[in-house]
Amino acid sequence: MFEIVFLGTSASAPSIDRGLSSLIIMHDDQRFLVDAGEGTQRQILRSGVGFRKLDKILLTHGHLDHILGLGGLMSTFSRWESISEIDLYGGRWALERVAALMDIVLRGGEVDMTVDCHIVQEGLIWENDDMTIRAVPVIHRGPGCFGYVFEEKSHRPFNVEKATALGVPIGPERRKLVSGEPITLDDGRVIEPETVLDEAMPGLKVVHIGDTGRTDNLLEACKGADVLIIESTYGQREADMAAHFGHLTAAQGATLARDAGVKQLFLVHISRRYMAAELIQEARTIFPHTKIPHDLDHYRVTRQGTEKVRRQGGRQRTD
């Protein structure tokens, strides 16, 4: 299961209702901050998610509306939170701009925090036992722009009925079989994992694409995604302007989602020139399963689909 918390969904400059680009993607006990526009730390507080374990930050590119919030965020982390080490991922140019910012925030030994910078290249950039993150190059203004593919590893479900029929007791024996180890029952029979594990099931896939001016190079990366999050700075009436500045229209994002067989599309990076209703109408004529999230919207992604989560009094309930 993935959870997505949209912190800022505006393009270039904040609006009254939308902050600058940032979101959190959560999987089990792992939390990833993607971009950190101005005001990100306050949005994290308002979201109710908090700063705990938010020690991995992925940057899509180095434009200021995607990185300026790192200054205040790092200052808060170093002074008030129990986070002493941050892993920061991004293209070389983005990391160079962040390094200049950190030279101001972290100078003079005033704070005790380590920022480990990882220069992103196409391909695998992070993994654990359950999931991977791959970087995908995108075409925008300037070098080193990336999207990120979060994907659970495939797994073979444990067949309880088969195990019970074979007399496998509930407990550590079943855990060993799930982990791929054979077991020996009290009567001497050896049970191989193959006997009680069903066919492999692919994991959930969430794709985040930051600012980009093209989609033809993203089809393979987005193919079959449970969720695609992608920019939609302009409407079709300003398609020429979108192309000139290296951005997308809502129609382009929707077309990519349709052609890639995506299950749910979220459009973000919304220009202040547009009401969300105009862009959502444009996109849904092409791909009906499209949403434009508000800041602080929180979604849960499962095999059953994507559902919105409402936080009330510190507890969650589903709409």
Side-chain angles (χ1 to χ4, degrees), residues 122 136-140 145 209 212-222 248 256:
E122 181 178 4
V136 180
V138 303
I139 307 301
H140 186 46
C145 302
I209 306 294
T212 184
R214 286 173 50 185
T215 60
D216 58 294
N217 58 328
L218 299 174
L219 188 61
E220 186 61 32
C222 298
L248 297 183
L256 172 62

mmCIF file of all heavy atoms in Angstrom, residues 122 136-140 145 209 212-222 248 256:
data_model
loop_
_atom_site.group_PDB
_atom_site.id
_atom_site.type_symbol
_atom_site.label_atom_id
_atom_site.label_comp_id
_atom_site.label_asym_id
_atom_site.label_seq_id
_atom_site.Cartn_x
_atom_site.Cartn_y
_atom_site.Cartn_z
ATOM 1 N N GLU A 122 19.672 7.869 -14.617
ATOM 2 C CA GLU A 122 18.567 6.993 -15.014
ATOM 3 C C GLU A 122 18.739 5.600 -14.424
ATOM 4 O O GLU A 122 19.835 5.044 -14.414
ATOM 5 C CB GLU A 122 18.491 6.911 -16.535
ATOM 6 C CG GLU A 122 17.358 6.040 -17.047
ATOM 7 C CD GLU A 122 17.270 6.019 -18.555
ATOM 8 O OE1 GLU A 122 18.143 6.628 -19.211
ATOM 9 O OE2 GLU A 122 16.331 5.387 -19.096
ATOM 10 N N VAL A 136 13.659 8.459 -13.914
ATOM 11 C CA VAL A 136 13.357 8.519 -15.343
ATOM 12 C C VAL A 136 13.686 9.918 -15.846
ATOM 13 O O VAL A 136 13.125 10.902 -15.339
ATOM 14 C CB VAL A 136 11.867 8.211 -15.600
ATOM 15 C CG1 VAL A 136 11.566 8.279 -17.092
ATOM 16 C CG2 VAL A 136 11.484 6.865 -15.022
ATOM 17 N N PRO A 137 14.568 10.066 -16.830
ATOM 18 C CA PRO A 137 14.880 11.403 -17.351
ATOM 19 C C PRO A 137 13.654 12.036 -18.012
ATOM 20 O O PRO A 137 12.886 11.357 -18.705
ATOM 21 C CB PRO A 137 15.976 11.141 -18.391
ATOM 22 C CG PRO A 137 16.504 9.784 -18.079
ATOM 23 C CD PRO A 137 15.366 9.016 -17.480
ATOM 24 N N VAL A 138 13.452 13.326 -17.785
ATOM 25 C CA VAL A 138 12.379 14.063 -18.448
ATOM 26 C C VAL A 138 12.975 15.300 -19.116
ATOM 27 O O VAL A 138 14.074 15.744 -18.774
ATOM 28 C CB VAL A 138 11.260 14.476 -17.465
ATOM 29 C CG1 VAL A 138 10.691 13.256 -16.748
ATOM 30 C CG2 VAL A 138 11.771 15.479 -16.443
ATOM 31 N N ILE A 139 12.247 15.840 -20.066
ATOM 32 C CA ILE A 139 12.710 16.989 -20.837
ATOM 33 C C ILE A 139 12.024 18.246 -20.321
ATOM 34 O O ILE A 139 10.811 18.408 -20.450
ATOM 35 C CB ILE A 139 12.422 16.811 -22.338
ATOM 36 C CG1 ILE A 139 12.984 15.480 -22.837
ATOM 37 C CG2 ILE A 139 13.009 17.980 -23.129
ATOM 38 C CD1 ILE A 139 14.472 15.326 -22.655
ATOM 39 N N HIS A 140 12.804 19.127 -19.719
ATOM 40 C CA HIS A 140 12.291 20.399 -19.222
ATOM 41 C C HIS A 140 13.365 21.450 -19.494
ATOM 42 O O HIS A 140 14.277 21.216 -20.290
ATOM 43 C CB HIS A 140 11.947 20.273 -17.734
ATOM 44 C CG HIS A 140 11.279 21.485 -17.147
ATOM 45 N ND1 HIS A 140 10.228 22.136 -17.773
ATOM 46 C CD2 HIS A 140 11.511 22.181 -15.998
ATOM 47 C CE1 HIS A 140 9.853 23.160 -17.043
ATOM 48 N NE2 HIS A 140 10.625 23.219 -15.963
ATOM 49 N N CYS A 145 16.786 16.737 -15.170
ATOM 50 C CA CYS A 145 15.393 16.710 -14.709
ATOM 51 C C CYS A 145 14.911 15.256 -14.698
ATOM 52 O O CYS A 145 15.145 14.519 -15.664
ATOM 53 C CB CYS A 145 14.508 17.562 -15.611
ATOM 54 S SG CYS A 145 15.021 19.290 -15.729
ATOM 55 N N ILE A 209 5.910 12.474 -12.049
ATOM 56 C CA ILE A 209 6.642 13.233 -13.057
ATOM 57 C C ILE A 209 6.518 14.707 -12.719
ATOM 58 O O ILE A 209 5.415 15.234 -12.608
ATOM 59 C CB ILE A 209 6.094 12.978 -14.480
ATOM 60 C CG1 ILE A 209 6.075 11.481 -14.790
ATOM 61 C CG2 ILE A 209 6.904 13.767 -15.503
ATOM 62 C CD1 ILE A 209 7.436 10.833 -14.863
ATOM 63 N N THR A 212 7.720 18.903 -17.099
ATOM 64 C CA THR A 212 8.177 18.281 -18.337
ATOM 65 C C THR A 212 7.436 18.882 -19.508
ATOM 66 O O THR A 212 6.281 19.307 -19.374
ATOM 67 C CB THR A 212 7.981 16.750 -18.309
ATOM 68 O OG1 THR A 212 8.520 16.174 -19.505
ATOM 69 C CG2 THR A 212 6.510 16.378 -18.206
ATOM 70 N N GLY A 213 8.087 18.910 -20.650
ATOM 71 C CA GLY A 213 7.453 19.442 -21.848
ATOM 72 C C GLY A 213 7.092 18.383 -22.863
ATOM 73 O O GLY A 213 6.523 18.689 -23.910
ATOM 74 N N ARG A 214 7.426 17.121 -22.562
ATOM 75 C CA ARG A 214 7.141 16.024 -23.494
ATOM 76 C C ARG A 214 6.605 14.823 -22.732
ATOM 77 O O ARG A 214 6.901 14.642 -21.554
ATOM 78 C CB ARG A 214 8.419 15.604 -24.235
ATOM 79 C CG ARG A 214 8.894 16.562 -25.295
ATOM 80 C CD ARG A 214 10.252 16.137 -25.846
ATOM 81 N NE ARG A 214 10.286 14.731 -26.233
ATOM 82 C CZ ARG A 214 11.408 14.117 -26.647
ATOM 83 N NH1 ARG A 214 12.556 14.783 -26.698
ATOM 84 N NH2 ARG A 214 11.391 12.838 -26.998
ATOM 85 N N THR A 215 5.844 14.001 -23.441
ATOM 86 C CA THR A 215 5.337 12.773 -22.841
ATOM 87 C C THR A 215 5.690 11.530 -23.650
ATOM 88 O O THR A 215 5.569 10.418 -23.144
ATOM 89 C CB THR A 215 3.800 12.825 -22.701
ATOM 90 O OG1 THR A 215 3.214 12.980 -24.015
ATOM 91 C CG2 THR A 215 3.358 13.978 -21.810
ATOM 92 N N ASP A 216 6.121 11.703 -24.907
ATOM 93 C CA ASP A 216 6.386 10.536 -25.760
ATOM 94 C C ASP A 216 7.492 9.655 -25.196
ATOM 95 O O ASP A 216 7.518 8.441 -25.448
ATOM 96 C CB ASP A 216 6.750 10.983 -27.180
ATOM 97 C CG ASP A 216 7.958 11.908 -27.202
ATOM 98 O OD1 ASP A 216 7.851 13.026 -26.678
ATOM 99 O OD2 ASP A 216 9.004 11.505 -27.761
ATOM 100 N N ASN A 217 8.402 10.234 -24.407
ATOM 101 C CA ASN A 217 9.501 9.477 -23.819
ATOM 102 C C ASN A 217 9.147 8.884 -22.459
ATOM 103 O O ASN A 217 10.009 8.295 -21.804
ATOM 104 C CB ASN A 217 10.737 10.375 -23.678
ATOM 105 C CG ASN A 217 10.469 11.600 -22.825
ATOM 106 O OD1 ASN A 217 9.351 12.122 -22.803
ATOM 107 N ND2 ASN A 217 11.477 12.070 -22.115
ATOM 108 N N LEU A 218 7.903 9.030 -22.013
ATOM 109 C CA LEU A 218 7.507 8.584 -20.686
ATOM 110 C C LEU A 218 6.536 7.411 -20.709
ATOM 111 O O LEU A 218 6.141 6.906 -19.655
ATOM 112 C CB LEU A 218 6.863 9.753 -19.922
ATOM 113 C CG LEU A 218 7.756 10.972 -19.698
ATOM 114 C CD1 LEU A 218 6.951 12.102 -19.061
ATOM 115 C CD2 LEU A 218 8.949 10.612 -18.825
ATOM 116 N N LEU A 219 6.160 6.979 -21.891
ATOM 117 C CA LEU A 219 5.117 5.960 -22.015
ATOM 118 C C LEU A 219 5.507 4.665 -21.314
ATOM 119 O O LEU A 219 4.718 4.086 -20.553
ATOM 120 C CB LEU A 219 4.827 5.691 -23.495
ATOM 121 C CG LEU A 219 3.635 4.786 -23.796
ATOM 122 C CD1 LEU A 219 2.345 5.396 -23.271
ATOM 123 C CD2 LEU A 219 3.518 4.542 -25.303
ATOM 124 N N GLU A 220 6.727 4.209 -21.513
ATOM 125 C CA GLU A 220 7.157 2.937 -20.931
ATOM 126 C C GLU A 220 7.226 3.043 -19.411
ATOM 127 O O GLU A 220 6.813 2.120 -18.700
ATOM 128 C CB GLU A 220 8.515 2.526 -21.498
ATOM 129 C CG GLU A 220 8.975 1.147 -21.065
ATOM 130 C CD GLU A 220 8.036 0.028 -21.503
ATOM 131 O OE1 GLU A 220 7.401 0.144 -22.570
ATOM 132 O OE2 GLU A 220 7.934 -0.971 -20.743
ATOM 133 N N ALA A 221 7.752 4.142 -18.903
ATOM 134 C CA ALA A 221 7.879 4.309 -17.457
ATOM 135 C C ALA A 221 6.517 4.328 -16.776
ATOM 136 O O ALA A 221 6.371 3.859 -15.638
ATOM 137 C CB ALA A 221 8.637 5.592 -17.140
ATOM 138 N N CYS A 222 5.509 4.877 -17.441
ATOM 139 C CA CYS A 222 4.175 5.025 -16.843
ATOM 140 C C CYS A 222 3.269 3.829 -17.094
ATOM 141 O O CYS A 222 2.181 3.741 -16.517
ATOM 142 C CB CYS A 222 3.501 6.283 -17.392
ATOM 143 S SG CYS A 222 4.364 7.819 -17.005
ATOM 144 N N LEU A 248 3.293 21.019 -19.772
ATOM 145 C CA LEU A 248 2.228 20.236 -20.381
ATOM 146 C C LEU A 248 0.880 20.921 -20.237
ATOM 147 O O LEU A 248 0.675 21.755 -19.355
ATOM 148 C CB LEU A 248 2.125 18.859 -19.724
ATOM 149 C CG LEU A 248 3.301 17.905 -19.834
ATOM 150 C CD1 LEU A 248 2.931 16.573 -19.172
ATOM 151 C CD2 LEU A 248 3.729 17.695 -21.273
ATOM 152 N N LEU A 256 -1.337 10.786 -22.072
ATOM 153 C CA LEU A 256 -0.313 9.859 -21.590
ATOM 154 C C LEU A 256 -0.929 8.801 -20.676
ATOM 155 O O LEU A 256 -0.631 7.607 -20.802
ATOM 156 C CB LEU A 256 0.774 10.637 -20.844
ATOM 157 C CG LEU A 256 1.828 9.792 -20.120
ATOM 158 C CD1 LEU A 256 2.605 8.930 -21.106
ATOM 159 C CD2 LEU A 256 2.769 10.679 -19.314
#
